[in-house]
């Protein structure tokens, strides 16, 4: 049902992070990330969670470095079914028609900088001599994926993330994007909801166990 959105989000997330090595194996998207703590990511819908778990449990990566993102309406139940994989957290796959996103200017005295590289938009917000907030959007044809939206703890609840999302969205629209997706953390979800984004599905994030069972 949400296979297509999941695939679009993976393409944009991978583009944002520079992860170019990915392929489809048994209805599971396999992203070779190659980072020490996250060597590989298996992305699938709940229907193919068992196949993703099998791939994770039989690959040659060190314990704790093979990760899974499973789109499921019931992350807790699926986490129970995937033992001995370790539950990490629940996130939410969210979407919006970009023209529907609420907009908000950067509050004074903060200043906003937009850097556009081919297919990537970066927004930085500076204030009080510090980099206070950042965000990125990757652009793929008419689709966009927001990623790494962060506000430094000392500058939170002042509307900076809202301003970052506004700048990313406006820039993406000028590059022809019409729709966007993102994976929201529990902290990020209220922000995106307040801007008009809607939840497509929860995402179960799990990984191979870091310690062996007693
Ligand atoms: C999530 C995060 C980016 C929000 O940054 P921020 O600059 O504080 O957000 P804003 O001030 O623009 O908040 C805009 C709206 O989002 C919502 N919101 C933001 N933080 C919230 C929180 N902790 N709890 C509830 N709602 C929150 C509110 O609706 C808020 O409006 P309000 O302050 O008028 O109520 C920031 O908390 C953060 O960096 N968290 C850690 C990294 C992270 O989880 N990023 C999201 C990845 S998906």
């Amino acid at each position: 049902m949400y296979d297509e959105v999941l695939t679009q989000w993976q393409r944009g997330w991978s583009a944002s992070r520079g992860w170019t090595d990915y392929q489809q194996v048994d209805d599971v998207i396999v992203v070779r990330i190659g980072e020490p703590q996250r060597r590989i990511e298996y992305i699938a819908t709940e229907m193919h969670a068992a196949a993703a778990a099998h791939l994770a449990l039989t690959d040659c990566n060190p314990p704790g470095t093979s990760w899974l993102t499973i789109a499921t309406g019931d992350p807790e139940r699926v986490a129970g079914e995937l033992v001995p994989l370790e539950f990490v957290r629940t996130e939410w796959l969210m979407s919006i028609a970009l023209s529907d996103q609420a907009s908000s200017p950067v509050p004074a005295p903060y200043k906003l900088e937009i850097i556009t590289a081919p297919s990537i938009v970066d927004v930085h917000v500076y204030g009080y001599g510090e980099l206070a907030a950042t965000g990125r959007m990757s652009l793929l044809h008419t689709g966009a994926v927001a990623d790494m939206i962060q506000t430094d703890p000392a500058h939170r609840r002042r509307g900076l993330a809202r301003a970052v999302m506004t700048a990313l969205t406006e820039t993406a629209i000028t590059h022809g994007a019409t729709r966007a997706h993102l994976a929201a953390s529990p902290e990020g979800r209220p922000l995106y909801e307040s801007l008009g984004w809607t939840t497509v599905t929860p995402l179960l994030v799990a990984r191979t166990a870091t310690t062996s069972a007693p």
Side-chain angles (χ1 to χ4, degrees):
M1 192 173 59
Y2 30 66
D3 301 43
E4 204 179 311
V5 178
L6 190 67
T7 302
Q8 286 170 9
W9 165 72
Q10 176 272 317
R11 296 291 192 268
W13 185 41
S14 294
S16 166
R17 306 288 176 120
W19 301 331
T20 53
D21 185 357
Y22 52 82
Q23 66 183 128
Q24 190 98 9
V25 178
D26 296 339
D27 296 307
V28 177
I29 304 171
V30 181
V31 186
R32 288 187 181 77
I33 293 175
E35 293 171 2
Q37 305 305 321
R38 201 164 184 159
R39 300 280 178 97
I40 199 160
E41 184 89 25
Y42 300 103
I43 300 172
T45 58
E46 180 180 342
M47 197 186 299
H48 304 290
H54 178 73
L55 289 169
L57 292 167
T58 56
D59 70 20
C60 299
N61 293 315
T65 66
S66 293
W67 290 65
L68 290 89
T69 297
I70 307 294
T72 168
D74 193 346
E76 270 185 38
R77 178 180 52 77
V78 174
E81 291 168 6
L82 294 184
V83 171
L85 290 167
E86 207 171 80
F87 172 78
V88 177
R89 61 179 169 267
T90 299
E91 295 185 351
W92 290 268
L93 182 59
M94 302 183 80
S95 290
I96 197 166
L98 285 171
S99 56
D100 291 346
Q101 189 187 271
S103 64
S104 194
V106 66
Y110 293 95
K111 296 268 183 270
L112 195 138
E113 176 188 61
I114 302 173
I115 302 161
T116 314
S119 308
I120 298 281
V121 183
D122 279 310
V123 170
H124 300 159
V125 176
Y126 295 93
Y128 304 95
E130 293 177 354
L131 177 60
T134 55
R136 169 171 284 186
M137 204 170 245
S138 63
L139 310 174
L140 297 171
H141 311 293
T142 56
V145 169
D147 187 29
M148 298 189 287
I149 310 300
Q150 301 185 33
T151 300
D152 181 273
H155 300 271
R156 286 185 188 165
R157 301 308 293 264
R158 299 179 187 183
L160 299 189
R162 206 189 273 272
V164 166
M165 291 302 292
T166 299
L168 289 171
T169 298
E170 288 175 353
T171 310
I173 289 172
T174 65
H175 284 77
T178 56
R179 202 159 181 87
H181 310 294
L182 59 76
S185 66
E187 254 182 304
R189 195 179 180 207
L191 161 74
Y192 307 123
E193 281 176 338
S194 79
L195 291 168
W197 291 65
T198 56
T199 299
V200 178
T201 172
L203 297 170
L204 161 66
V205 181
R207 64 179 173 186
T208 47
T210 46
T211 50
S212 46

